[in-house]
Amino acid sequence: MRYGFTTGSCAAAAAKAAAYMLLTGKIKNCITIETPKGIPYTAEVTDIVRGESQVSCAVVKDGGDDPDVTSGSKICATVTADNGGDGEKELLQIDGGKGVGRVTRPGLDQPVGNAAINHVPREMITREVQEVCRLCDFHGTLHILISVPDGEALAERTFNPRLGIVGGISILGTTGIVEPMSSQALKETIRVELRQQRAEGQTIAAVSPGNYGLDFMQQTYGYDLDRSVKCSNFIGETIDMAAELGFCAMLLTGHIGKLIKVAGGIMNTHSHEGDCRMELLAAAGIRENVSLECLKKILDCVTTEEALAFIDAEGKKEDIMEDIMEKIDFYLKKRAAGRLQIECIVYSNTYGLLGMTAKAEELLRRLL
């Protein structure tokens, strides 16, 4: 699959091209930068607007084969010259304009009030523009404004509103390269959300694979799952992150279709990694003396909700869920390895609360 280039790479390329055109007076229709991964990026330069002391241009984001919401967006840079300076070294000032978010909560890469241009893209912009300054023997001040015309709308499709980044997208990238279908970006987002909660003084990590069952948790406990860190399929690694960041406890809340896998010790619940949902339900059914006919029906089910209906018809739902919660509790505590307290609540859309570990309700009260 074809890799792409990050918003940070695009911003650095646009800034370098704008600085070059401003300081040399020459048109630049393509520009090459070096990404932190060591792979050169040659970008086409568009939307060039030249003035005496200011030049702006854009680079179109190419995310490769990764389903990135920013692919196809223009990452723009406006570079303005101020010849004042100490005469020995250039001074670069980097900020975000329209469509680039601004940080409003602590715990992120940039402090509160800064544009959401992460430190690696800032370093890339600085390095590439300094190269142009040296080429042109420029020792004044350059103001570099990064903007994304459709950034505000795009941000609604990202994690930014949850993170307290308002007004646009973030300019991101640690390697400068977008690896297609990479799960690393998602795991980094989980870490950022956890780190942010820790920075705000939270000692209990509220974690959920997603918003499935949102209404149940809101109506039953007055608990808004939207306040939870979304861990997707990375349950084991989220436990590790929470422990590393110093949380004393973690409450995992999720739908039976996802969390049943944890009863088998599966800590990455993506179907490509492992399934066994019906097998685990059937195994619990065997231990609780469910009829052979019901066990066969369970193994033929497509969804856990469907399997629960057969289990409930046999009058075994409570017994089986008690068995499953014991297994979930065992494997979660095994992964936590004493580094933090961990509890779990499991629900279904049809039956509501299915089970919880011994001290889950106590943790929930503390969270509320």
Side-chain angles (χ1 to χ4, degrees):
M1 298 180 76
R2 190 171 62 88
Y3 62 77
F5 294 91
T6 62
T7 49
S9 290
C10 296
K16 183 178 185 178
Y20 180 88
M21 288 186 279
L22 178 63
L23 299 182
T24 66
K26 300 175 182 177
I27 288 285
K28 195 74 172 171
N29 292 311
C30 67
I31 197 82
T32 299
I33 67 164
E34 186 82 7
T35 64
K37 199 175 180 74
I39 298 173
Y41 171 38
T42 299
E44 183 181 345
V45 180
T46 67
D47 296 28
I48 298 169
V49 178
R50 300 164 67 202
E52 187 175 336
S53 61
Q54 185 180 89
V55 170
S56 64
C57 64
V59 167
V60 177
K61 165 72 184 295
D62 177 8
D65 288 329
D66 190 70
D68 189 327
V69 299
T70 59
S71 282
S73 294
K74 291 178 179 178
I75 311 299
C76 307
T78 300
V79 177
T80 306
D82 176 356
N83 289 319
D86 59 15
E88 295 182 4
K89 189 177 181 181
E90 74 286 347
L91 176 64
L92 307 182
Q93 297 179 344
I94 301 169
D95 202 0
K98 177 179 171 59
V100 172
R102 202 154 289 272
V103 178
T104 65
R105 291 171 59 187
L108 297 175
D109 181 274
Q110 293 295 302
V112 171
N114 270 24
I117 304 173
N118 279 11
H119 73 280
V120 173
R122 287 176 184 268
E123 291 165 4
M124 292 171 66
I125 292 167
T126 299
R127 184 178 64 250
E128 298 296 338
V129 172
Q130 280 178 338
E131 182 185 322
V132 174
C133 290
R134 286 192 295 271
L135 175 69
C136 298
D137 197 27
F138 177 81
H139 303 294
T141 298
L142 291 180
H143 301 275
I144 303 166
L145 190 71
I146 305 299
S147 58
V148 183
D150 58 350
E152 196 164 356
L154 288 173
E156 297 302 317
R157 299 162 59 192
T158 72
F159 282 94
N160 276 14
R162 286 175 53 81
L163 296 174
I165 298 173
V166 301
I169 65 167
S170 300
I171 305 299
L172 302 171
T174 54
T175 64
I177 302 298
V178 177
E179 296 181 35
M181 304 302 290
S182 172
S183 61
Q184 190 59 38
L186 181 53
K187 284 187 270 190
E188 285 303 313
T189 299
I190 295 167
R191 185 180 292 278
V192 165
E193 289 205 54
L194 285 169
R195 188 170 66 236
Q196 188 172 59
Q197 288 200 4
R198 196 71 190 91
E200 292 177 344
Q202 295 292 334
T203 57
I204 303 171
V207 174
S208 174
N211 278 335
Y212 205 31
L214 177 65
D215 291 341
F216 160 72
M217 290 302 292
Q218 183 69 61
Q219 292 164 13
T220 307
Y221 296 108
Y223 175 59
D224 185 0
L225 275 178
D226 217 29
R227 292 160 49 200
S228 298
V229 172
K230 304 301 185 291
C231 70
S232 185
N233 296 297
F234 305 108
I235 291 170
E237 287 174 275
T238 302
I239 294 170
D240 296 341
M241 292 178 200
E244 290 164 13
L245 290 168
F247 285 92
C248 70
M250 172 175 150
L251 178 62
L252 176 65
T253 308
H255 187 270
I256 180 69
K258 188 71 73 173
L259 296 190
I260 182 64
K261 299 181 184 183
V262 179
I266 297 170
M267 290 290 155
N268 182 333
T269 55
H270 196 291
S271 58
H272 291 166
E273 297 289 331
D275 193 349
C276 299
R277 292 168 302 148
M278 305 313 156
E279 289 81 359
L280 288 165
L281 281 171
I286 291 169
R287 286 189 292 268
E288 299 302 330
N289 299 311
V290 169
S291 69
L292 180 59
E293 182 184 358
C294 182
L295 292 172
K296 288 179 179 178
K297 288 178 180 177
I298 290 169
L299 290 172
D300 287 337
C301 288
V302 175
T303 68
T304 50
E305 295 278 355
E306 181 186 4
L308 283 171
F310 292 122
I311 292 167
D312 190 43
E314 288 241 338
K316 292 289 188 177
K317 179 166 63 70
E318 287 74 18
D319 293 338
I320 284 179
M321 282 311 305
E322 185 176 342
D323 183 285
I324 286 168
M325 291 311 300
E326 286 179 8
K327 296 292 187 296
I328 289 175
D329 190 47
F330 171 80
Y331 284 111
L332 288 177
K333 285 178 169 53
K334 182 179 180 183
R335 183 63 177 248
R339 295 173 294 170
L340 78 170
Q341 179 188 352
I342 186 158
E343 305 294 339
C344 182
I345 296 174
V346 177
Y347 53 79
S348 105
N349 292 347
T350 305
Y351 297 97
L353 178 66
L354 292 175
M356 59 173 64
T357 54
K359 296 184 179 180
E361 199 161 15
E362 176 192 327
L363 273 192
L364 182 58
R365 282 198 301 270
R366 288 166 63 187
L367 280 167
L368 291 172

